[in-house]
Amino acid sequence: MREIKALELVAEFHRQLMEVVRRLRREHDVRIQYVDDGSQDHTAAELSKLAADDAGVSIIELSRNFGHQAALTAGLDRATGDVVVTLDGDGQHPPALIVDMIDLYRAGYDVVLTQRVVADVPRLKRWGSTAFYRVLSLIGNTHITAGSADYRLLSRPVLEALRQMREYHRFLRGMVAWAGYRTVVLPYHERARLGGRAKYSIGPMARLAADAMFSFSLVPLRLALVVGMCFLVLALAEAVYVMSFWLTGRQHLLVPGWASLMFMLLIVGAALMIAVGFVGVYVGYIFQEVKRRPVYLVRATHHDPHERRPPDDASEPR
């Protein structure tokens, strides 16, 4: 029963997308590229049928589930148009917005970002998301629009710029913002999912947040250094305080305080562990980058008339 629902979701999403694409094809050469991120049901077979029925539809099957950012990268690496639009296949991104995005591109914008406008989001989640993007923009020296989605339009120069960024830990929202091309924000009302459940649970969201934080900023390392310097100042102040008792002949008042000593040891130990932890995270990121493993691996492509060679830095596009 679950596979039937998945197939119906693919068919319904394609139907809604084609309502827009048919109108655009009257003036433009519009091609659709689906990325199957290692699905375990019959989604790949259903997508292959769509490609067989329409010469303008191509399919990229990844060898396993590499994650949302890797799947988007796979599509961007093989995009051939002057303009590329990325959107999710769960139905929450309204395809009708593509027409407005193209109009803004014609007005001179290289990047058209979409911003979710959701009224029924819990207040705590909304505040948390806003705070995260503000902090990330502040410490990363790159302004990232709060509530922005991976539903965006990119011109060819922006696409080529993204292809030069071959890091393993990818946060495309930050990478697009870092590129700095002329950008406009297009608000939209997020629709209900066509089916299934959201894949971004707390765990994946935390990993994406970590990739964003540690990939775009060295502030955590500097913060650890500042905390260490603060405790060094406290240690010097404690030394001066103790010496004052000896210099004034009141050393008999110095009663050993076991509780205060343990308290300071615990605080200092915690500060050191936090600092070492930050360093360890960055070393781990460096370790994964220097291995130069591809971000994704392609199992098969279907009906791809614009097949091109992968980048020179890996056997498969990263």
Side-chain angles (χ1 to χ4, degrees):
M1 187 67 179
R2 184 179 179 183
E3 293 180 358
I4 295 176
K5 290 183 179 180
L7 299 183
E8 292 176 351
L9 188 152
V10 171
E12 176 60 22
F13 173 79
H14 185 70
R15 184 192 66 78
Q16 295 181 8
L17 181 61
M18 287 303 298
E19 290 180 357
V20 178
V21 170
R22 288 191 188 96
R23 298 199 305 267
L24 293 175
R25 280 179 173 174
R26 298 171 185 171
E27 301 180 11
H28 310 283
D29 180 15
V30 181
R31 299 183 180 274
I32 302 173
Q33 191 164 249
Y34 288 107
V35 180
D36 178 16
D37 191 19
S39 62
Q40 300 299 317
D41 49 25
H42 294 313
T43 299
E46 182 67 16
L47 290 174
S48 299
K49 293 179 182 178
L50 298 177
D53 295 336
D54 189 339
V57 177
S58 60
I59 313 299
I60 302 173
E61 291 185 42
L62 303 188
S63 61
R64 64 171 177 84
N65 184 276
F66 286 90
H68 187 244
Q69 301 297 292
L72 287 172
T73 301
L76 293 174
D77 282 343
R78 283 171 167 74
T80 59
D82 295 328
V83 173
V84 178
V85 177
T86 61
L87 71 163
D88 294 344
D90 56 11
Q92 291 188 295
H93 295 161
L97 207 63
I98 296 176
V99 177
D100 297 330
M101 298 168 78
I102 293 177
D103 289 340
L104 290 171
Y105 164 74
R106 288 175 170 174
Y109 293 99
D110 292 300
V111 179
V112 181
L113 299 179
T114 61
Q115 186 178 41
R116 293 184 299 269
V117 179
V118 185
D120 57 350
V121 174
R123 183 176 301 178
L124 182 60
K125 182 177 180 180
R126 184 171 63 251
W127 287 352
S129 176
T130 302
F132 168 74
Y133 281 107
R134 285 182 179 177
V135 171
L136 184 59
S137 298
L138 178 63
I139 68 176
N141 294 323
T142 301
H143 176 71
I144 302 176
T145 303
S148 60
D150 286 310
Y151 186 17
R152 65 176 73 88
L153 177 146
L154 305 174
S155 65
R156 170 57 57 175
V158 183
L159 179 61
E160 294 300 331
L162 288 178
R163 286 175 176 172
Q164 297 179 46
M165 306 179 197
R166 307 314 304 176
E167 57 257 42
Y168 184 80
H169 293 279
R170 307 181 72 78
F171 183 59
L172 287 170
R173 299 172 198 178
M175 294 164 66
V176 171
W178 179 88
Y181 287 84
R182 191 178 181 189
T183 303
V184 64
V185 178
L186 183 62
Y188 75 99
H189 291 277
E190 191 172 68
R191 305 188 306 181
R193 297 173 62 90
L194 293 176
R197 295 180 299 176
K199 298 297 181 60
Y200 266 121
S201 59
I202 295 179
M205 289 180 65
R207 286 192 294 270
L208 181 63
D211 286 345
M213 188 72 68
F214 292 109
S215 297
F216 280 85
S217 177
L218 296 178
V219 168
L221 284 178
R222 299 190 182 113
L223 179 63
L225 180 61
V226 170
V227 172
M229 293 299 296
C230 289
F231 278 99
L232 178 60
V233 171
L234 289 176
L236 292 175
E238 178 70 14
V240 172
Y241 177 73
V242 172
M243 289 180 61
S244 67
F245 279 84
W246 286 91
L247 294 175
T248 57
R250 296 180 298 149
Q251 61 268 27
H252 61 281
L253 299 177
L254 292 173
V255 179
W258 181 87
S260 59
L261 178 61
M262 292 302 298
F263 179 70
M264 289 302 299
L265 287 176
L266 289 174
I267 293 180
V268 173
L272 290 176
M273 291 302 297
I274 291 173
V276 172
F278 281 143
V279 174
V281 170
Y282 280 103
V283 171
Y285 273 54
I286 294 171
F287 173 68
Q288 291 182 320
E289 290 289 348
V290 298
K291 289 189 294 186
R292 299 187 62 81
R293 290 182 180 177
V295 176
Y296 62 89
L297 295 172
V298 176
R299 179 174 58 195
T301 58
H302 302 275
H303 209 285
D304 189 359
H306 298 284
E307 188 71 28
R308 65 179 183 84
R309 292 181 59 188
D312 296 333
D313 61 344
S315 59
E316 285 289 345
R318 291 183 62 194

